[in-house]
Amino acid sequence: MREMVKMVVVLTLLCSVSGGLLAALRDGTKDRIENQQLEFVKGPAIRKILVEGAGATNDPIKDRFKLKVDGREESFFVGIVNGKPNLVTFETSGKGFGGTLGMVVGVDVTTDKIIGVAVTTHSETPGIGARAQTDPRFAKQFAGMPLAGEFKVKSDGGKVDALSGATVTSRGVSGALTGAAKLYQDAKPALIEKLNTLKK
């Protein structure tokens, strides 16, 4: 009996130490992992929308901020054109054929219209659903659409041209944009207030 108690105590101590070390490791690398993801996964898509596409002259990765939206902390990346911080991108996600589709969506807050979208992460079939990330015609169709309401592919009664042979992926992108529209509408009052503080 004494041996069993001793073993339980030792195991408890080992688990506590291991858990503490893992938590410390996670906390210690959290910012570094986030920065690596921003620079190499999301950053190129964000800069493509705001800098290459819309002519922003600032570094949107550097000029990012977080807001609480529906109890969750969301990151917003600002694009400044002619001194006006009227463009933002933020992350959204949908359910594709192979799993979660990660996306960034850019919007002009003065018109509430989409300025660009890009798929950042996915597990879609190469050459089929993966074209959601690589086919510029697919992404281009969203530019100028209001970021509001529900996005659907045309076969479901919506306005989105689905990728040939990749309807599930196209529905995933549409679902991600529907989620982005809700997030944007919920965040807009606080977003505008924050952007006003950045005006020079």
Side-chain angles (χ1 to χ4, degrees), residues 94-129:
K95 176 95 171 107
F97 182 77
T100 301
L101 283 162
M103 293 179 61
V104 290
V105 179
V107 61
D108 183 332
V109 299
T110 62
T111 63
D112 297 332
K113 289 184 177 177
I114 294 171
I115 59 170
V117 304
V119 173
T120 53
T121 57
H122 67 85
S123 301
E124 301 305 282
T125 307
I128 304 176

Side-chain angles (χ1 to χ4, degrees), residues 61-102:
I61 304 301
K62 184 180 172 187
D63 294 336
R64 68 183 186 274
F65 58 85
K66 295 184 178 183
L67 293 175
K68 281 247 180 186
V69 184
D70 292 334
R72 289 182 50 188
E73 199 168 59
E74 303 286 350
S75 293
F76 292 87
F77 304 85
V78 184
I80 301 175
V81 178
N82 296 326
K84 297 175 182 174
N86 293 332
L87 310 176
V88 293
T89 60
F90 56 94
E91 296 173 71
T92 184
S93 63
K95 176 95 171 107
F97 182 77
T100 301
L101 283 162

